[in-house]
Amino acid sequence: MATRKPFLLRTDPEVLAALNRWATDELRSVNAQIDFLLRRALREAGRLPPPGGGDARPRTPVD
């Protein structure tokens, strides 16, 4: 397993409560939910390779 680096996250209590409910609904911890959401957002933005490797850049049509 890769080494994980801890960091402090300050957020609004309402955001944290909503995130906690969402994590509970998906049987994850709040930490795992944040990690899941960040990874998904990074993949969608082309900033992180998809699971299994490959090219993370968005595909554009070639003229």
CSV table of all heavy atoms in Angstrom, one decimal:
chain,number,residue,atom,x,y,z
A,1,MET,N,0.8,-1.2,0.0
A,1,MET,CA,0.0,0.0,0.0
A,1,MET,C,0.9,1.2,0.0
A,1,MET,O,1.9,1.3,0.7
A,1,MET,CB,-0.9,0.0,1.2
A,1,MET,CG,-1.9,1.1,1.3
A,1,MET,SD,-3.0,1.0,2.7
A,1,MET,CE,-4.3,2.0,2.1
A,2,ALA,N,0.5,2.3,-0.7
A,2,ALA,CA,1.2,3.5,-0.8
A,2,ALA,C,1.2,4.2,0.5
A,2,ALA,O,0.2,4.2,1.3
A,2,ALA,CB,0.7,4.4,-1.9
A,3,THR,N,2.3,5.0,0.8
A,3,THR,CA,2.3,5.8,1.9
A,3,THR,C,1.3,6.9,1.8
A,3,THR,O,1.2,7.5,0.8
A,3,THR,CB,3.8,6.4,2.1
A,3,THR,OG1,4.7,5.3,2.2
A,3,THR,CG2,3.9,7.2,3.4
A,4,ARG,N,0.6,7.2,2.9
A,4,ARG,CA,-0.3,8.3,2.9
A,4,ARG,C,0.2,9.4,3.8
A,4,ARG,O,0.8,9.2,4.8
A,4,ARG,CB,-1.7,7.8,3.4
A,4,ARG,CG,-2.3,6.8,2.5
A,4,ARG,CD,-3.7,6.5,2.9
A,4,ARG,NE,-4.3,5.6,1.9
A,4,ARG,CZ,-5.2,5.9,1.0
A,4,ARG,NH1,-5.6,7.1,1.0
A,4,ARG,NH2,-5.7,5.1,0.2
A,5,LYS,N,0.0,10.7,3.3
A,5,LYS,CA,0.4,11.8,4.0
A,5,LYS,C,-0.8,12.5,4.7
A,5,LYS,O,-1.7,12.9,4.0
A,5,LYS,CB,1.2,12.8,3.1
A,5,LYS,CG,1.8,13.9,3.8
A,5,LYS,CD,2.6,14.8,2.8
A,5,LYS,CE,3.2,15.9,3.5
A,5,LYS,NZ,4.0,16.7,2.7
A,6,PRO,N,-0.8,12.7,6.0
A,6,PRO,CA,-1.9,13.4,6.7
A,6,PRO,C,-1.8,14.9,6.4
A,6,PRO,O,-0.7,15.5,6.2
A,6,PRO,CB,-1.7,13.1,8.1
A,6,PRO,CG,-0.2,12.8,8.3
A,6,PRO,CD,0.2,12.2,7.0
A,7,PHE,N,-3.0,15.5,6.4
A,7,PHE,CA,-3.0,17.0,6.3
A,7,PHE,C,-4.3,17.5,7.0
A,7,PHE,O,-5.3,16.7,7.1
A,7,PHE,CB,-2.9,17.5,4.9
A,7,PHE,CG,-4.2,17.2,4.0
A,7,PHE,CD1,-5.1,18.2,3.9
A,7,PHE,CD2,-4.4,16.0,3.5
A,7,PHE,CE1,-6.3,18.0,3.1
A,7,PHE,CE2,-5.5,15.7,2.7
A,7,PHE,CZ,-6.4,16.7,2.5
A,8,LEU,N,-4.3,18.7,7.4
A,8,LEU,CA,-5.5,19.3,8.1
A,8,LEU,C,-6.4,19.9,7.1
A,8,LEU,O,-6.0,20.6,6.2
A,8,LEU,CB,-5.0,20.4,9.1
A,8,LEU,CG,-6.0,21.1,9.9
A,8,LEU,CD1,-6.8,20.2,10.8
A,8,LEU,CD2,-5.4,22.2,10.7
A,9,LEU,N,-7.7,19.6,7.2
A,9,LEU,CA,-8.7,20.2,6.4
A,9,LEU,C,-9.7,21.0,7.2
A,9,LEU,O,-10.3,20.4,8.1
A,9,LEU,CB,-9.4,19.1,5.6
A,9,LEU,CG,-10.6,19.6,4.7
A,9,LEU,CD1,-10.1,20.5,3.6
A,9,LEU,CD2,-11.4,18.4,4.2
A,10,ARG,N,-9.8,22.3,7.0
A,10,ARG,CA,-10.8,23.1,7.7
A,10,ARG,C,-12.0,23.3,6.7
A,10,ARG,O,-11.8,23.7,5.6
A,10,ARG,CB,-10.2,24.5,8.0
A,10,ARG,CG,-9.1,24.4,9.0
A,10,ARG,CD,-8.6,25.8,9.3
A,10,ARG,NE,-7.3,26.1,9.8
A,10,ARG,CZ,-6.5,25.5,10.7
A,10,ARG,NH1,-6.9,24.5,11.2
A,10,ARG,NH2,-5.4,25.9,11.1
A,11,THR,N,-13.2,23.0,7.2
A,11,THR,CA,-14.4,23.2,6.4
A,11,THR,C,-15.5,23.6,7.3
A,11,THR,O,-15.5,23.5,8.5
A,11,THR,CB,-14.7,21.9,5.6
A,11,THR,OG1,-15.7,22.1,4.7
A,11,THR,CG2,-15.1,20.8,6.6
A,12,ASP,N,-16.6,24.1,6.7
A,12,ASP,CA,-17.8,24.5,7.3
A,12,ASP,C,-18.4,23.3,8.0
A,12,ASP,O,-18.5,22.2,7.4
A,12,ASP,CB,-18.7,25.1,6.2
A,12,ASP,CG,-19.9,25.7,6.8
A,12,ASP,OD1,-20.0,26.9,7.2
A,12,ASP,OD2,-20.9,24.9,6.9
A,13,PRO,N,-19.0,23.5,9.2
A,13,PRO,CA,-19.7,22.3,9.9
A,13,PRO,C,-20.8,21.7,9.0
A,13,PRO,O,-21.0,20.5,9.1
A,13,PRO,CB,-20.2,23.0,11.2
A,13,PRO,CG,-19.3,24.1,11.4
A,13,PRO,CD,-18.9,24.6,10.0
A,14,GLU,N,-21.5,22.5,8.3
A,14,GLU,CA,-22.6,22.0,7.5
A,14,GLU,C,-22.1,21.1,6.3
A,14,GLU,O,-22.7,20.1,6.0
A,14,GLU,CB,-23.4,23.2,6.9
A,14,GLU,CG,-24.6,22.8,6.1
A,14,GLU,CD,-25.4,24.0,5.6
A,14,GLU,OE1,-25.4,25.0,6.3
A,14,GLU,OE2,-26.1,23.8,4.6
A,15,VAL,N,-20.9,21.5,5.8
A,15,VAL,CA,-20.3,20.7,4.7
A,15,VAL,C,-19.8,19.4,5.3
A,15,VAL,O,-20.1,18.3,4.7
A,15,VAL,CB,-19.1,21.4,4.1
A,15,VAL,CG1,-18.3,20.5,3.2
A,15,VAL,CG2,-19.7,22.7,3.3
A,16,LEU,N,-19.2,19.4,6.5
A,16,LEU,CA,-18.8,18.2,7.1
A,16,LEU,C,-19.9,17.3,7.5
A,16,LEU,O,-19.8,16.1,7.3
A,16,LEU,CB,-18.0,18.6,8.4
A,16,LEU,CG,-17.3,17.4,9.1
A,16,LEU,CD1,-16.4,16.6,8.2
A,16,LEU,CD2,-16.5,17.9,10.3
A,17,ALA,N,-21.0,17.8,8.0
A,17,ALA,CA,-22.2,17.0,8.3
A,17,ALA,C,-22.7,16.3,7.1
A,17,ALA,O,-23.1,15.1,7.1
A,17,ALA,CB,-23.3,17.9,9.0
A,18,ALA,N,-22.8,17.1,6.0
A,18,ALA,CA,-23.3,16.5,4.7
A,18,ALA,C,-22.4,15.4,4.2
A,18,ALA,O,-22.8,14.3,3.7
A,18,ALA,CB,-23.5,17.6,3.7
A,19,LEU,N,-21.1,15.7,4.3
A,19,LEU,CA,-20.1,14.7,3.9
A,19,LEU,C,-20.2,13.4,4.7
A,19,LEU,O,-20.1,12.3,4.2
A,19,LEU,CB,-18.7,15.3,4.0
A,19,LEU,CG,-17.6,14.5,3.4
A,19,LEU,CD1,-17.8,14.1,2.0
A,19,LEU,CD2,-16.3,15.3,3.6
A,20,ASN,N,-20.4,13.6,6.0
A,20,ASN,CA,-20.5,12.5,6.9
A,20,ASN,C,-21.7,11.6,6.6
A,20,ASN,O,-21.7,10.4,6.6
A,20,ASN,CB,-20.6,13.0,8.4
A,20,ASN,CG,-20.5,11.8,9.4
A,20,ASN,OD1,-19.8,10.9,9.2
A,20,ASN,ND2,-21.2,12.0,10.5
A,21,ARG,N,-22.9,12.3,6.3
A,21,ARG,CA,-24.1,11.5,5.9
A,21,ARG,C,-23.8,10.7,4.6
A,21,ARG,O,-24.2,9.6,4.5
A,21,ARG,CB,-25.3,12.5,5.7
A,21,ARG,CG,-25.8,13.0,7.0
A,21,ARG,CD,-27.1,13.7,6.8
A,21,ARG,NE,-27.0,14.8,5.8
A,21,ARG,CZ,-26.7,16.1,6.1
A,21,ARG,NH1,-26.3,16.4,7.4
A,21,ARG,NH2,-26.6,17.0,5.2
A,22,TRP,N,-23.2,11.4,3.6
A,22,TRP,CA,-22.9,10.8,2.3
A,22,TRP,C,-21.9,9.6,2.5
A,22,TRP,O,-22.2,8.5,2.0
A,22,TRP,CB,-22.2,11.8,1.4
A,22,TRP,CG,-22.1,11.4,0.0
A,22,TRP,CD1,-22.6,10.2,-0.6
A,22,TRP,CD2,-21.5,12.2,-1.1
A,22,TRP,NE1,-22.3,10.3,-2.0
A,22,TRP,CE2,-21.6,11.4,-2.3
A,22,TRP,CE3,-20.9,13.4,-1.1
A,22,TRP,CZ2,-21.1,11.9,-3.5
A,22,TRP,CZ3,-20.4,13.9,-2.3
A,22,TRP,CH2,-20.5,13.1,-3.5
A,23,ALA,N,-20.9,9.7,3.3
A,23,ALA,CA,-20.0,8.7,3.6
A,23,ALA,C,-20.7,7.5,4.3
A,23,ALA,O,-20.5,6.3,3.9
A,23,ALA,CB,-18.8,9.2,4.5
A,24,THR,N,-21.5,7.8,5.2
A,24,THR,CA,-22.3,6.7,5.9
A,24,THR,C,-23.2,6.0,4.9
A,24,THR,O,-23.2,4.7,4.9
A,24,THR,CB,-23.1,7.3,7.0
A,24,THR,OG1,-22.3,8.0,8.0
A,24,THR,CG2,-24.0,6.3,7.7
A,25,ASP,N,-23.8,6.7,4.0
A,25,ASP,CA,-24.7,6.1,3.0
A,25,ASP,C,-23.9,5.1,2.1
A,25,ASP,O,-24.4,4.1,1.7
A,25,ASP,CB,-25.4,7.1,2.1
A,25,ASP,CG,-26.4,7.9,2.9
A,25,ASP,OD1,-26.8,7.5,4.0
A,25,ASP,OD2,-26.8,9.0,2.3
A,26,GLU,N,-22.6,5.4,1.9
A,26,GLU,CA,-21.8,4.6,1.0
A,26,GLU,C,-20.9,3.7,1.8
A,26,GLU,O,-19.9,3.1,1.2
A,26,GLU,CB,-21.1,5.5,0.0
A,26,GLU,CG,-22.0,6.3,-0.9
A,26,GLU,CD,-21.4,6.9,-2.1
A,26,GLU,OE1,-20.2,6.8,-2.3
A,26,GLU,OE2,-22.1,7.6,-2.8
A,27,LEU,N,-21.1,3.5,3.1
A,27,LEU,CA,-20.3,2.7,3.9
A,27,LEU,C,-18.8,3.0,3.9
A,27,LEU,O,-18.0,2.1,3.8
A,27,LEU,CB,-20.6,1.2,3.6
A,27,LEU,CG,-22.0,0.7,3.6
A,27,LEU,CD1,-22.2,-0.7,3.1
A,27,LEU,CD2,-22.6,0.9,5.0
A,28,ARG,N,-18.5,4.3,3.9
A,28,ARG,CA,-17.1,4.7,4.0
A,28,ARG,C,-16.9,5.6,5.2
A,28,ARG,O,-17.9,6.2,5.7
A,28,ARG,CB,-16.8,5.5,2.7
A,28,ARG,CG,-16.7,4.8,1.4
A,28,ARG,CD,-16.2,5.7,0.3
A,28,ARG,NE,-16.1,5.1,-0.9
A,28,ARG,CZ,-17.0,5.3,-1.9
A,28,ARG,NH1,-18.0,6.1,-1.8
A,28,ARG,NH2,-16.9,4.6,-3.0
A,29,SER,N,-15.7,5.8,5.6
A,29,SER,CA,-15.3,6.8,6.6
A,29,SER,C,-15.3,8.1,5.9
A,29,SER,O,-15.3,8.2,4.6
A,29,SER,CB,-14.0,6.5,7.2
A,29,SER,OG,-13.0,6.7,6.2
A,30,VAL,N,-15.4,9.2,6.6
A,30,VAL,CA,-15.3,10.5,6.0
A,30,VAL,C,-14.0,10.7,5.3
A,30,VAL,O,-14.0,11.2,4.2
A,30,VAL,CB,-15.5,11.6,7.1
A,30,VAL,CG1,-15.2,13.0,6.5
A,30,VAL,CG2,-16.9,11.6,7.7
A,31,ASN,N,-12.9,10.2,5.9
A,31,ASN,CA,-11.6,10.3,5.2
A,31,ASN,C,-11.6,9.6,3.9
A,31,ASN,O,-11.2,10.1,2.9
A,31,ASN,CB,-10.5,9.7,6.1
A,31,ASN,CG,-9.2,9.9,5.6
A,31,ASN,OD1,-8.6,11.0,5.6
A,31,ASN,ND2,-8.6,8.8,5.0
A,32,ALA,N,-12.2,8.3,3.9
A,32,ALA,CA,-12.2,7.6,2.6
A,32,ALA,C,-13.1,8.3,1.6
A,32,ALA,O,-12.8,8.2,0.4
A,32,ALA,CB,-12.7,6.2,2.9
A,33,GLN,N,-14.2,8.9,2.0
A,33,GLN,CA,-15.1,9.6,1.1
A,33,GLN,C,-14.4,10.8,0.5
A,33,GLN,O,-14.5,11.0,-0.7
A,33,GLN,CB,-16.4,10.0,1.9
A,33,GLN,CG,-17.4,10.6,1.0
A,33,GLN,CD,-18.1,9.5,0.1
A,33,GLN,OE1,-17.9,8.4,0.3
A,33,GLN,NE2,-19.0,10.0,-0.8
A,34,ILE,N,-13.7,11.5,1.3
A,34,ILE,CA,-12.9,12.7,0.8
A,34,ILE,C,-11.9,12.2,-0.2
A,34,ILE,O,-11.8,12.8,-1.3
A,34,ILE,CB,-12.3,13.5,1.9
A,34,ILE,CG1,-13.3,14.2,2.8
A,34,ILE,CG2,-11.3,14.5,1.4
A,34,ILE,CD1,-12.8,14.8,4.1
A,35,ASP,N,-11.2,11.2,0.1
A,35,ASP,CA,-10.2,10.6,-0.8
A,35,ASP,C,-10.8,10.2,-2.1
A,35,ASP,O,-10.4,10.5,-3.2
A,35,ASP,CB,-9.4,9.5,-0.2
A,35,ASP,CG,-8.2,9.0,-1.0
A,35,ASP,OD1,-7.2,9.8,-1.0
A,35,ASP,OD2,-8.3,7.9,-1.5
A,36,PHE,N,-12.0,9.5,-2.0
A,36,PHE,CA,-12.7,9.0,-3.2
A,36,PHE,C,-13.1,10.2,-4.1
A,36,PHE,O,-12.9,10.2,-5.3
A,36,PHE,CB,-13.9,8.2,-2.8
A,36,PHE,CG,-14.9,7.8,-3.8
A,36,PHE,CD1,-14.6,6.8,-4.7
A,36,PHE,CD2,-16.1,8.6,-4.0
A,36,PHE,CE1,-15.5,6.5,-5.7
A,36,PHE,CE2,-17.0,8.3,-5.0
A,36,PHE,CZ,-16.7,7.2,-5.9
A,37,LEU,N,-13.7,11.2,-3.5
A,37,LEU,CA,-14.2,12.3,-4.2
A,37,LEU,C,-13.1,13.1,-4.9
A,37,LEU,O,-13.2,13.6,-6.0
A,37,LEU,CB,-15.0,13.3,-3.3
A,37,LEU,CG,-16.3,12.6,-2.8
A,37,LEU,CD1,-16.9,13.5,-1.8
A,37,LEU,CD2,-17.3,12.4,-4.0
A,38,LEU,N,-12.0,13.3,-4.2
A,38,LEU,CA,-10.8,14.0,-4.7
A,38,LEU,C,-10.2,13.2,-5.9
A,38,LEU,O,-9.9,13.8,-6.9
A,38,LEU,CB,-9.7,14.2,-3.7
A,38,LEU,CG,-10.0,15.3,-2.6
A,38,LEU,CD1,-9.0,15.3,-1.5
A,38,LEU,CD2,-10.1,16.7,-3.3
A,39,ARG,N,-10.1,11.9,-5.8
A,39,ARG,CA,-9.5,11.1,-6.9
A,39,ARG,C,-10.4,11.2,-8.1
A,39,ARG,O,-10.0,11.3,-9.2
A,39,ARG,CB,-9.3,9.7,-6.4
A,39,ARG,CG,-8.2,9.5,-5.5
A,39,ARG,CD,-8.1,8.1,-5.0
A,39,ARG,NE,-7.0,7.9,-4.1
A,39,ARG,CZ,-5.7,7.7,-4.4
A,39,ARG,NH1,-5.4,7.7,-5.7
A,39,ARG,NH2,-4.8,7.6,-3.5
A,40,ARG,N,-11.8,11.1,-7.9
A,40,ARG,CA,-12.7,11.2,-9.0
A,40,ARG,C,-12.6,12.5,-9.7
A,40,ARG,O,-12.5,12.6,-10.9
A,40,ARG,CB,-14.1,10.9,-8.5
A,40,ARG,CG,-15.1,10.9,-9.7
A,40,ARG,CD,-16.5,10.4,-9.2
A,40,ARG,NE,-17.1,11.4,-8.4
A,40,ARG,CZ,-18.3,11.2,-7.8
A,40,ARG,NH1,-19.0,10.1,-7.9
A,40,ARG,NH2,-18.8,12.2,-7.0
A,41,ALA,N,-12.6,13.6,-8.9
A,41,ALA,CA,-12.5,14.9,-9.5
A,41,ALA,C,-11.1,15.1,-10.3
A,41,ALA,O,-11.1,15.7,-11.4
A,41,ALA,CB,-12.6,16.0,-8.4
A,42,LEU,N,-10.1,14.6,-9.7
A,42,LEU,CA,-8.8,14.7,-10.4
A,42,LEU,C,-8.7,13.9,-11.7
A,42,LEU,O,-8.2,14.4,-12.7
A,42,LEU,CB,-7.6,14.2,-9.5
A,42,LEU,CG,-7.3,15.2,-8.3
A,42,LEU,CD1,-6.5,14.4,-7.3
A,42,LEU,CD2,-6.6,16.4,-8.8
A,43,ARG,N,-9.3,12.7,-11.7
A,43,ARG,CA,-9.4,11.9,-12.9
A,43,ARG,C,-10.2,12.7,-14.0
A,43,ARG,O,-9.9,12.8,-15.1
A,43,ARG,CB,-10.0,10.5,-12.7
A,43,ARG,CG,-9.0,9.5,-12.2
A,43,ARG,CD,-9.5,8.1,-12.2
A,43,ARG,NE,-10.8,8.0,-11.5
A,43,ARG,CZ,-11.0,7.7,-10.2
A,43,ARG,NH1,-9.9,7.6,-9.5
A,43,ARG,NH2,-12.2,7.6,-9.7
A,44,GLU,N,-11.4,13.2,-13.6
A,44,GLU,CA,-12.3,13.9,-14.5
A,44,GLU,C,-11.6,15.2,-15.1
A,44,GLU,O,-11.9,15.5,-16.2
A,44,GLU,CB,-13.6,14.2,-13.8
A,44,GLU,CG,-14.5,13.1,-13.6
A,44,GLU,CD,-15.7,13.4,-12.8
A,44,GLU,OE1,-15.9,14.5,-12.4
A,44,GLU,OE2,-16.5,12.4,-12.5
A,45,ALA,N,-10.7,15.8,-14.3
A,45,ALA,CA,-10.0,17.0,-14.7
A,45,ALA,C,-8.8,16.6,-15.5
A,45,ALA,O,-8.1,17.5,-16.0
A,45,ALA,CB,-9.7,17.8,-13.5
A,46,GLY,N,-8.5,15.3,-15.7
A,46,GLY,CA,-7.3,14.9,-16.4
A,46,GLY,C,-6.0,15.2,-15.6
A,46,GLY,O,-4.9,15.3,-16.2
A,47,ARG,N,-6.1,15.2,-14.3
A,47,ARG,CA,-4.9,15.5,-13.5
A,47,ARG,C,-4.4,14.2,-12.8
A,47,ARG,O,-3.4,14.3,-12.1
A,47,ARG,CB,-5.3,16.5,-12.4
A,47,ARG,CG,-5.9,17.8,-12.9
A,47,ARG,CD,-4.8,18.8,-13.1
A,47,ARG,NE,-5.3,20.0,-13.6
A,47,ARG,CZ,-4.5,21.0,-13.8
A,47,ARG,NH1,-3.2,20.9,-13.6
A,47,ARG,NH2,-5.0,22.1,-14.3
A,48,LEU,N,-5.1,13.1,-12.9
A,48,LEU,CA,-4.6,11.9,-12.3
A,48,LEU,C,-4.9,10.7,-13.3
A,48,LEU,O,-6.0,10.7,-13.9
A,48,LEU,CB,-5.4,11.7,-11.0
A,48,LEU,CG,-5.0,10.5,-10.1
A,48,LEU,CD1,-3.7,10.8,-9.4
A,48,LEU,CD2,-6.1,10.3,-9.1
A,49,PRO,N,-4.0,9.8,-13.5
A,49,PRO,CA,-4.2,8.7,-14.4
A,49,PRO,C,-5.4,7.9,-13.9
A,49,PRO,O,-5.7,7.8,-12.7
A,49,PRO,CB,-3.0,7.9,-14.3
A,49,PRO,CG,-1.9,8.8,-13.7
A,49,PRO,CD,-2.7,9.8,-12.9
A,50,PRO,N,-6.2,7.3,-14.8
A,50,PRO,CA,-7.3,6.4,-14.4
A,50,PRO,C,-6.8,5.2,-13.7
A,50,PRO,O,-5.6,4.9,-13.9
A,50,PRO,CB,-8.0,6.1,-15.8
A,50,PRO,CG,-7.0,6.4,-16.8
A,50,PRO,CD,-6.0,7.4,-16.3
A,51,PRO,N,-7.6,4.5,-13.0
A,51,PRO,CA,-7.2,3.3,-12.3
A,51,PRO,C,-6.7,2.3,-13.4
A,51,PRO,O,-7.3,2.2,-14.5
A,51,PRO,CB,-8.4,2.7,-11.7
A,51,PRO,CG,-9.4,3.9,-11.6
A,51,PRO,CD,-9.0,4.8,-12.7
A,52,GLY,N,-5.5,1.7,-13.1
A,52,GLY,CA,-5.0,0.7,-14.1
A,52,GLY,C,-4.0,1.4,-15.1
A,52,GLY,O,-3.5,0.7,-16.0
A,53,GLY,N,-3.7,2.7,-14.9
A,53,GLY,CA,-2.8,3.4,-15.7
A,53,GLY,C,-3.5,4.0,-16.9
A,53,GLY,O,-4.7,4.1,-17.0
A,54,GLY,N,-2.7,4.3,-17.9
A,54,GLY,CA,-3.3,4.9,-19.1
A,54,GLY,C,-3.0,6.4,-19.1
A,54,GLY,O,-2.4,7.0,-18.2
A,55,ASP,N,-3.5,7.0,-20.1
A,55,ASP,CA,-3.4,8.5,-20.3
A,55,ASP,C,-4.5,9.2,-19.7
A,55,ASP,O,-5.7,8.9,-19.9
A,55,ASP,CB,-3.4,8.7,-21.9
A,55,ASP,CG,-3.0,10.2,-22.2
A,55,ASP,OD1,-2.8,11.0,-21.2
A,55,ASP,OD2,-2.8,10.5,-23.4
A,56,ALA,N,-4.2,10.2,-18.8
A,56,ALA,CA,-5.2,10.9,-18.0
A,56,ALA,C,-5.7,12.1,-18.8
A,56,ALA,O,-6.7,12.8,-18.4
A,56,ALA,CB,-4.6,11.4,-16.7
A,57,ARG,N,-5.1,12.5,-19.9
A,57,ARG,CA,-5.5,13.7,-20.7
A,57,ARG,C,-6.9,13.4,-21.3
A,57,ARG,O,-7.1,12.3,-21.9
A,57,ARG,CB,-4.5,14.0,-21.7
A,57,ARG,CG,-3.2,14.6,-21.1
A,57,ARG,CD,-2.2,14.8,-22.1
A,57,ARG,NE,-1.8,13.5,-22.6
A,57,ARG,CZ,-1.0,13.2,-23.7
A,57,ARG,NH1,-0.7,14.2,-24.5
A,57,ARG,NH2,-0.7,12.0,-24.0
A,58,PRO,N,-7.7,14.4,-21.3
A,58,PRO,CA,-9.0,14.3,-22.0
A,58,PRO,C,-8.8,14.1,-23.5
A,58,PRO,O,-7.9,14.7,-24.1
A,58,PRO,CB,-9.8,15.6,-21.7
A,58,PRO,CG,-8.9,16.4,-20.8
A,58,PRO,CD,-7.6,15.7,-20.7
A,59,ARG,N,-9.7,13.3,-24.1
A,59,ARG,CA,-9.6,13.1,-25.5
A,59,ARG,C,-10.2,14.2,-26.3
A,59,ARG,O,-11.3,14.7,-25.9
A,59,ARG,CB,-10.4,11.8,-25.9
A,59,ARG,CG,-9.9,10.6,-25.1
A,59,ARG,CD,-8.5,10.2,-25.6
A,59,ARG,NE,-8.0,9.0,-24.9
A,59,ARG,CZ,-6.8,8.7,-24.8
A,59,ARG,NH1,-5.9,9.4,-25.3
A,59,ARG,NH2,-6.4,7.6,-24.1
A,60,THR,N,-9.5,14.6,-27.3
A,60,THR,CA,-10.1,15.7,-28.2
A,60,THR,C,-10.1,15.2,-29.6
A,60,THR,O,-9.2,14.4,-30.0
A,60,THR,CB,-9.2,17.0,-28.1
A,60,THR,OG1,-7.9,16.7,-28.5
A,60,THR,CG2,-9.3,17.6,-26.7
A,61,PRO,N,-11.2,15.5,-30.4
A,61,PRO,CA,-11.2,15.1,-31.8
A,61,PRO,C,-10.1,15.7,-32.6
A,61,PRO,O,-9.7,16.8,-32.4
A,61,PRO,CB,-12.6,15.6,-32.2
A,61,PRO,CG,-13.1,16.5,-31.2
A,61,PRO,CD,-12.3,16.3,-30.0
A,62,VAL,N,-9.6,14.9,-33.5
A,62,VAL,CA,-8.6,15.4,-34.4
A,62,VAL,C,-9.2,15.8,-35.7
A,62,VAL,O,-10.0,15.0,-36.3
A,62,VAL,CB,-7.5,14.3,-34.7
A,62,VAL,CG1,-6.5,14.7,-35.6
A,62,VAL,CG2,-6.9,13.8,-33.3
A,63,ASP,N,-8.9,17.0,-36.2
A,63,ASP,CA,-9.5,17.4,-37.5
A,63,ASP,C,-8.8,16.8,-38.7
A,63,ASP,O,-7.7,16.5,-38.7
A,63,ASP,CB,-9.4,19.0,-37.6
A,63,ASP,CG,-10.3,19.7,-36.6
A,63,ASP,OD1,-10.8,19.0,-35.7
A,63,ASP,OD2,-10.3,20.9,-36.7
